[in-house]
Amino acid sequence: MIDAATEPKLTGARISGTAEQALPWSKAIRFFARFGAYDLATVVLIAALGVMVLCTFKDYAITNDEEVQQRYGELIVAYYTSGFAKQDVFSFQNLYLYGGLFDIIAVALSHVVPIDPYDLRHILCALMGIGGVGAAAATARLIAGPRAALIAAVGLSVSGA
């Protein structure tokens, strides 16, 4: 028979002391400990894609539709900044049938970021692609786990346009 006076009670209370103070990164370590090697590899792959984009964006040539898309973005911005008075955007080829959000972002950033507008478009396109790889990896992780996320990210990264 166990005496109630000698039985230890586990309350779950934390005892503060030098161990907690010695590891200021303990919360971060516990957070990252939830993720395995596949998750780490996926994050490293996506980060490597970002670095690769920033190192190579000046090496790309202008495609056959970039000049048209840039002009379309300028017309959209002019339409909104004129208070909907400039209607040229609706007669510019057939592009009024397509969404222009990307073109608006590219034109707006070209007034703020001091680089060539086409280089900026290349960076934005690449970042959209990397975002797509990340979204596909996150979706695959939710459906089938971290290994599927890495497989999806690698598969999309090595695929051509």
Side-chain angles (χ1 to χ4, degrees):
M1 179 170 174
I2 298 176
D3 188 4
T6 60
E7 187 174 334
K9 293 186 179 182
L10 301 175
T11 61
R14 298 186 77 172
I15 301 172
S16 63
T18 58
E20 259 185 37
Q21 294 167 354
L23 297 173
W25 297 95
S26 63
K27 288 183 182 178
I29 291 170
R30 273 184 271 142
F31 174 78
F32 287 113
R34 298 185 311 169
F35 304 107
Y38 290 118
D39 289 324
L40 179 63
T42 304
V43 169
V44 167
L45 173 64
I46 291 171
L49 289 173
V51 169
M52 186 174 70
V53 164
L54 294 176
C55 291
T56 62
F57 73 91
K58 286 201 170 273
D59 297 331
Y60 307 136
I62 296 173
T63 63
N64 60 348
D65 66 342
E66 273 185 298
E67 193 172 340
V68 173
Q69 292 299 132
Q70 180 71 17
R71 179 69 184 135
Y72 179 55
E74 292 167 356
L75 289 173
I76 295 171
V77 170
Y79 172 70
Y80 285 114
T81 56
S82 71
F84 310 113
K86 292 185 179 179
Q87 301 281 317
D88 297 339
V89 69
F90 298 111
S91 62
F92 185 67
Q93 298 185 9
N94 68 344
L95 292 181
Y96 64 91
L97 299 172
Y98 301 96
L101 180 62
F102 180 86
D103 300 312
I104 292 172
I105 293 169
V107 169
L109 283 177
S110 70
H111 294 295
V112 177
V113 180
I115 63 172
D116 180 62
Y118 297 107
D119 286 341
L120 181 63
R121 292 179 78 84
H122 296 159
I123 293 170
L124 288 175
C125 283
L127 291 179
M128 291 287 184
I130 293 170
V133 170
T139 303
R141 187 178 193 282
L142 286 173
I143 294 171
R147 182 176 171 203
L150 179 61
I151 291 169
V154 168
L156 289 172
S157 297
V158 299
S159 297

